[in-house]
Amino acid sequence: MKTLLSRHDLEHAALLQIRSCYGCEDVTSVLVDEIADPRFETNWTILSINRASDIHLRLTAELHTVRAIDGTQERLGKLYNLQTD
């Protein structure tokens, strides 16, 4: 059974997970959004992230970010569901 987390707590957990990934240390925030589609294993998705503005290798950083988001969504999606209002 999955643990229910508030949006704030889920965003915090996702941020910590993403920032621990190589090349994503400068991620400053994560936005989680609710999804209501029974085809998905979870009821949330990582909608967007924000990075610090001084990125020198922007393309490389974005590739690392995509990988980090996919991995984070997969790992946390097995553990948590978004607590809906």
Side-chain angles (χ1 to χ4, degrees):
M1 184 166 175
K2 294 183 184 182
T3 302
L4 289 177
L5 289 182
S6 69
R7 185 177 310 273
H8 177 267
D9 290 344
L10 190 52
E11 287 172 346
H12 182 70
L15 177 62
L16 291 177
Q17 184 73 42
I18 289 170
R19 289 186 72 182
S20 72
C21 297
Y22 176 79
C24 296
E25 299 83 10
D26 65 338
V27 172
T28 58
S29 65
V30 174
L31 179 63
V32 167
D33 196 25
E34 180 181 356
I35 53 174
D37 189 332
R39 294 177 293 172
F40 293 98
E41 293 181 25
T42 190
N43 68 343
W44 62 275
T45 187
I46 298 172
L47 189 61
S48 66
I49 65 157
N50 292 317
R51 289 183 162 275
S53 59
D54 57 345
I55 303 293
H56 298 295
L57 300 172
R58 189 74 177 163
L59 181 57
T60 302
E62 292 305 318
L63 292 174
H64 290 304
T65 301
V66 169
R67 290 185 188 124
I69 289 173
D70 289 345
T72 296
Q73 182 77 49
E74 183 177 334
R75 281 186 297 279
L76 296 183
K78 291 177 183 176
L79 300 172
Y80 305 115
N81 266 331
L82 178 64
Q83 185 176 15
T84 57
D85 299 325

